[in-house]
Amino acid sequence: MRMSLSDAIITLMDDSAYRALTVEEIARIFSSTKLEREEVKKTLRQLSSEGKIIIDSKKRCNLPEKKGYEKGILSINARGYGFISREDGDVFIAPPDTAYAMNGDEVLYKITKHPANGLRAEGFVHSIIKRNTDIIVGQFSKSKNFGFVIPDDNRIGYDIFIPKKLFNHAKHGDIVSCQIIRYPEKGMKPEGMVLQVIGRNRNLLVDIESELVQRKITREFPIKVSKQVQLLSAEISPKERSKREVFDELIYTIDGSDSKDLDDAISIKYAKSGYELGVYIADVSHFVTENSPLDKEALSRGTSIYFANQVVPMLPEKLSNNLCSLNPNEEKLVLALKMVFNKKGKLIEHKISEGIIVSKHRLVYEDVSDFLENGEGKILEIGDKELEESLQIAKELADLLREKRFKRGSIDFDFPETKYEVQGDAVTKVGVREMRIANHIIEEFMIAANETVAEAMYLQEIPILYRVHEEPNPEKIEVIYDNVRALDLKVKKHRDGRIFPSDIQYIIDQSNEIQQKDLIHYSLLRAMQKAKYSSKETEHFGLASKYYTHFTSPIRRYPDLQTHRIIKEMLSGKLNLGRIKHYESILEEVARKTSEAEVKAIDVERKVDDILACYYMSDYIGEIFEGKIINFVSFGIFVKLENTIEGLIRYSEIRKTKFAKNHLEHSVEEEMRQRYKIGDIIEVVVEQVDFSFREVILTFSY
């Protein structure tokens, strides 16, 4: 095969004997006519813009790595400086050295100062490879002949200039989205055009919508998808019915009171050997066929996004809340997994099949927990003795599975999760999202189902998407071990240097009753790798599972839908060698896309939580709260309030007070007054809410 011009140029520069040639010299090597020379120069410029080569001020060309340059994603801090994340630590980029790159841009950079004495590396941006910011949301400021969009995201660092002809009917003070049409250069601000007016006045709903627009998250579905959905029907054809097993037993769902996309149901009873558990998962793949418009849109979204009382669904409402949702007293198509456990909670047999069910009850976590914990509540009002017995058996098995899981080393980070209640454009209540017995029952049953399916597919050498969680970084864990030993706690070390989940849980259990509990738990959590999807089987470290997949939520997660599709082909005998090769060729790309979509969704949910926290606490300016110190950073002290909302005490905001920081002991000492440590309970005053930074600003109550 003939080598392309780009590859030939790269090969030339990669040769050990290559010396830095100029653009003209390289053009002469690869051309014999003026037209060809221009084509070579064009190719060199293209390679340079892609970061594959560098062209210095004297027009000499070389490979970036030969000159110490690397590729990375630049993150800009609200205070103007940037950093690039690397496995061995971040690289600090001072404001003058960003080369006008914006937050999220892919850049070519070079390290000028390597890390030493606890300080991070420093570097500069050489060039911008790819712009990753093109949509900006902010407030429109209008003058007679031009306007500006002042970004909500204070990491942008620039106001966006808007020519009068590109106002698009925006008025002064409107919250708008705009598209950048020219990026910043020396002496010039970025220029843009208004795309839409999100709201006339800033409020909670407008701020949430602004966050979605900024992240290019849309609620609406393309016309092709809507047309496909219109043709879908809940009717089960005789042909479809004939190939499915009908499960005529006590089946029910247990979900949150506000859930509408019910994708899992259970049944349970005693068996001769112990327990028979049925897990029934909505057969979304029956409606979402491969490579259809609906399938492509679901893959591009990757996951549903949940916040407050809203959802941006992966699938249109007709599917997520109707056709696929396992609503009570309706015939539904499912993938059924029957599992038999012995009296010690060990799985002894299982069967996967395509099925039809009718859920008898739509139960709620709180009601089931009230019944199982206190013997009271709405479950008793139903008056169904068979249901009551079923729930008691479910608790028995879930307790066995949970105990067994923790014995093998599964990690349990018990961090309280904040729950916001929203009515209209107001946050009316903040509290802790409780994990009670009913939540644990469903959690254990779904973990068991995911493990069972993953192992079954692995042993049959059938390609699926695995949910993997790799071992934590040993160097980060070793630092935590040193801190733990300093607190007179024990750690487990192994001769081969390996880290096991039980080692982490051992530290968590020891630290649960000490003041530094939060410090240790958060440090361990930050040392963990991020869970992701992969076509290759790898142990799930956090769950201490050898095989793990996501099978139980196909309405809201694309990897589950993808795995269902493969399982159904296996069950129907259609998974031949050609189809196996097809899935092997696409699964890693599906894993990459869905892992990225999950990270994006988590980030959006956190950003919306920050917005909700700011709006809620804005009603409590000047009021005193009790809180716990959870972290010290270079600019202040983070405090978690009783209602679980986090606030910041900025050192700069505390008048006439200086602090001496002790990084080793994770404390600060206020000059001439008091020493504060992580875990201390203190009284604070809500001083202000900073919407630009989305921070609740606190100060000491004295």
Side-chain angles (χ1 to χ4, degrees):
M1 184 182 291
R2 186 178 177 182
M3 187 180 294
S4 69
L5 177 58
S6 296
D7 289 341
I9 291 171
I10 297 295
T11 301
L12 169 70
M13 294 183 186
D14 197 34
D15 193 288
S16 58
Y18 174 79
R19 62 177 181 84
L21 300 175
T22 66
V23 170
E24 283 294 338
E25 288 171 332
I26 293 175
R28 286 198 294 270
I29 291 173
F30 289 100
S31 65
S32 56
T33 67
K34 183 177 180 180
L35 188 63
E36 288 177 346
R37 279 198 296 277
E38 290 305 314
E39 184 62 30
V40 175
K41 292 178 183 179
K42 181 180 177 182
T43 302
L44 288 169
R45 289 193 296 271
Q46 180 64 30
L47 289 171
S48 175
S49 69
E50 294 171 355
K52 294 178 180 178
I53 70 169
I54 55 172
I55 303 174
D56 65 20
S57 58
K58 295 183 179 180
K59 302 293 184 182
R60 290 175 301 201
C61 306
N62 218 324
L63 296 180
E65 54 268 29
K66 285 191 174 184
K67 290 294 183 179
Y69 291 95
E70 301 177 57
K71 292 181 181 180
I73 301 296
L74 179 68
S75 296
I76 299 288
N77 185 280
R79 293 161 179 83
Y81 60 81
F83 61 89
I84 295 167
S85 294
R86 293 159 46 103
E87 286 189 5
D88 57 351
D90 296 343
V91 179
F92 176 81
I93 309 292
D97 297 325
T98 61
Y100 303 101
M102 301 177 74
N103 184 59
D105 287 349
E106 184 179 3
V107 300
L108 196 64
Y109 71 97
K110 187 174 185 178
I111 294 176
T112 55
K113 186 183 292 185
H114 290 275
N117 302 320
L119 299 176
R120 69 177 76 185
E122 296 180 15
F124 69 93
V125 173
H126 172 272
S127 57
I128 298 159
I129 298 170
K130 183 183 178 184
R131 293 284 190 178
N132 286 323
T133 300
D134 60 346
I135 303 297
I136 304 291
V137 172
Q139 190 166 37
F140 183 63
S141 178
K142 179 182 176 182
S143 63
K144 186 176 181 180
N145 297 314
F146 60 87
F148 283 98
V149 172
I150 304 166
D152 287 350
D153 188 343
N154 46 34
R155 297 173 300 173
I156 300 300
Y158 303 94
D159 293 343
I160 314 301
F161 176 81
I162 309 292
K164 186 176 182 179
K165 62 182 179 180
L166 300 179
F167 284 4
N168 196 16
H169 307 296
K171 297 178 181 178
H172 184 77
D174 285 352
I175 309 303
V176 303
S177 66
C178 71
Q179 182 166 20
I180 297 178
I181 56 178
R182 191 185 67 207
Y183 285 92
E185 300 173 7
K186 186 176 181 180
M188 297 187 70
K189 289 181 178 287
E191 185 176 319
M193 59 182 291
V194 173
L195 294 177
Q196 69 175 109
V197 175
I198 299 172
R200 298 295 179 189
N201 298 296
R202 189 177 292 282
N203 60 39
L204 174 63
L205 299 182
V206 169
D207 277 356
I208 290 175
E209 195 63 30
S210 296
E211 181 64 35
L212 299 181
V213 172
Q214 178 76 65
R215 303 302 296 272
K216 300 180 182 177
I217 293 169
T218 178
R219 303 173 192 270
E220 292 75 31
F221 287 86
I223 294 174
K224 285 184 178 180
V225 172
S226 299
K227 287 183 177 179
Q228 182 183 349
V229 171
Q230 287 174 6
L231 300 175
L232 299 176
S233 170
E235 185 178 347
I236 304 173
S237 69
K239 181 180 179 181
E240 189 65 39
R241 192 179 296 275
S242 67
K243 69 178 186 179
R244 291 178 177 263
E245 185 175 352
V246 177
F247 294 93
D248 186 18
E249 49 197 293
L250 178 59
I251 297 172
Y252 49 87
T253 62
I254 308 177
D255 288 275
S257 58
D258 55 353
S259 298
K260 295 178 181 177
D261 48 355
L262 314 179
D263 45 15
D264 58 88
I266 62 170
S267 67
I268 190 166
K269 61 184 178 183
Y270 289 125
K272 287 184 179 180
S273 52
Y275 306 88
E276 182 186 283
L277 171 65
V279 173
Y280 310 92
I281 308 300
D283 188 358
V284 178
S285 62
H286 174 79
F287 300 98
V288 184
T289 51
E290 187 176 22
N291 290 326
S292 65
L294 187 50
D295 182 47
K296 291 176 181 177
E297 181 67 16
L299 175 57
S300 71
R301 295 183 179 223
T303 182
S304 296
I305 304 174
Y306 298 87
F307 45 86
N309 59 348
Q310 298 185 47
V311 59
V312 179
M314 182 181 80
L315 299 171
E317 187 175 318
K318 182 178 177 180
L319 281 167
S320 59
N321 295 1
N322 185 0
L323 296 182
C324 296
S325 185
L326 305 183
N327 303 323
N329 304 313
E330 297 176 7
E331 272 196 325
K332 296 293 181 179
L333 303 179
V334 296
L335 269 186
L337 172 62
K338 284 286 189 143
M339 295 173 282
V340 177
F341 297 88
N342 67 17
K343 294 177 182 179
K344 293 183 178 181
K346 181 181 179 181
L347 180 70
I348 55 177
E349 63 178 277
H350 77 275
K351 178 187 176 184
I352 307 173
S353 60
E354 294 181 83
I356 299 173
I357 68 164
V358 175
S359 173
K360 303 295 194 300
H361 301 284
R362 191 265 197 253
L363 305 181
V364 174
Y365 287 128
E366 290 81 2
D367 298 341
V368 174
S369 296
D370 287 343
F371 168 69
L372 292 174
E373 294 169 1
N374 309 311
E376 60 185 28
K378 294 183 179 179
I379 298 300
L380 293 172
E381 294 173 12
I382 294 173
D384 188 330
K385 294 297 181 183
E386 186 184 5
L387 173 62
E388 293 173 23
E389 182 183 359
S390 176
L391 291 173
Q392 294 286 3
I393 298 170
K395 180 182 181 302
E396 277 184 36
L397 177 57
D399 286 344
L400 280 173
L401 295 177
R402 189 172 177 80
E403 181 183 5
K404 192 168 180 287
R405 179 162 64 86
F406 285 125
K407 276 186 179 179
R408 76 188 185 205
S410 183
I411 301 172
D412 182 24
F413 284 113
D414 186 21
F415 294 118
E417 185 180 348
T418 306
K419 180 181 179 180
Y420 296 93
E421 292 184 16
V422 176
Q423 291 183 4
D425 62 354
V427 185
T428 56
K429 188 178 179 181
V430 173
V432 178
R433 191 181 300 278
E434 292 185 294
M435 283 289 288
R436 297 172 65 188
I437 183 61
N439 303 78
H440 290 309
I441 288 172
I442 296 303
E443 179 184 40
E444 294 305 325
F445 290 174
M446 297 307 118
I447 288 174
N450 289 331
E451 289 176 333
T452 301
V453 170
E455 183 173 9
M457 297 300 104
Y458 176 79
L459 294 177
Q460 295 178 74
E461 298 183 341
I462 294 173
I464 61 167
L465 283 176
Y466 293 95
R467 180 66 169 176
V468 301
H469 185 218
E470 297 168 339
E471 290 183 15
N473 184 308
E475 294 178 0
K476 291 183 179 179
I477 292 295
E478 193 58 48
V479 171
I480 297 171
Y481 281 178
D482 289 341
N483 290 331
V484 167
R485 290 190 194 97
L487 296 169
D488 294 326
L489 300 180
K490 296 178 181 179
V491 299
K492 291 181 179 180
K493 295 292 290 284
H494 304 277
R495 290 182 181 178
D496 61 2
R498 281 200 64 188
I499 301 166
F500 294 91
S502 56
D503 303 339
I504 306 299
Q505 189 61 45
Y506 182 64
I507 295 173
I508 291 172
D509 291 340
Q510 288 185 87
S511 61
N512 272 332
E513 302 303 322
I514 66 173
Q515 188 178 20
Q516 295 87 350
K517 167 188 170 181
D518 289 335
L519 165 66
I520 294 171
H521 291 196
Y522 279 111
S523 297
L524 288 169
L525 182 62
R526 284 192 290 268
M528 296 291 108
Q529 303 274 17
K530 286 185 173 67
K532 61 183 181 181
Y533 297 104
S534 174
S535 61
K536 300 175 181 62
E537 173 272 329
T538 306
E539 180 181 17
H540 192 293
F541 184 85
L543 291 172
S545 293
K546 188 173 182 181
Y547 312 100
Y548 202 72
T549 188
H550 269 174
F551 164 78
T552 54
S553 296
I555 292 177
R556 63 183 181 90
R557 292 190 305 228
Y558 191 86
D560 307 53
L561 168 58
Q562 179 70 81
T563 294
H564 275 220
R565 191 173 284 144
I566 297 167
I567 291 172
K568 286 184 65 178
E569 287 193 29
M570 176 198 71
L571 294 174
S572 65
K574 296 178 181 177
L575 194 65
N576 55 34
L577 184 59
R579 292 299 292 169
I580 287 175
K581 287 184 176 179
H582 163 69
Y583 285 121
E584 288 175 341
S585 70
I586 68 168
L587 283 181
E588 196 52 41
E589 180 65 8
V590 173
R592 182 189 66 80
K593 287 182 176 179
T594 52
S595 295
E596 290 175 356
E598 180 184 52
V599 170
K600 182 178 180 179
I602 291 171
D603 189 43
V604 169
E605 289 167 358
R606 286 174 178 165
K607 294 287 176 58
V608 172
D609 277 354
D610 290 342
I611 294 171
L612 295 168
C614 285
Y615 273 94
Y616 181 78
M617 295 305 295
S618 65
D619 290 334
Y620 295 92
I621 304 297
E623 295 198 21
I624 295 176
F625 285 80
E626 193 173 84
K628 181 192 289 187
I629 294 176
I630 60 171
N631 198 14
F632 297 104
V633 291
S634 61
F635 49 86
I637 306 169
F638 278 104
V639 177
K640 178 168 283 192
L641 305 180
E642 298 164 286
N643 59 18
T644 74
I645 287 177
E646 291 183 17
L648 173 67
I649 301 175
R650 291 177 181 164
Y651 298 135
S652 60
E653 297 293 325
I654 306 171
R655 299 177 185 87
K656 299 179 182 179
T657 305
K658 293 182 180 179
F659 285 89
K661 300 184 215 37
N662 186 327
H663 295 291
L664 290 177
E665 294 187 14
H666 307 283
S667 66
V668 296
E669 192 161 351
E670 184 184 348
E671 189 175 62
M672 304 298 293
R673 301 192 74 159
Q674 185 175 348
R675 188 181 189 189
Y676 298 98
K677 302 183 297 299
I678 284 180
D680 281 352
I681 304 298
I682 61 174
E683 280 194 346
V684 294
V685 176
V686 180
E687 186 164 282
Q688 62 169 302
V689 172
D690 189 334
F691 280 95
S692 62
F693 282 85
R694 290 178 183 169
E695 289 176 343
V696 177
I697 305 302
L698 310 172
T699 190
F700 292 107
S701 63
Y702 53 75

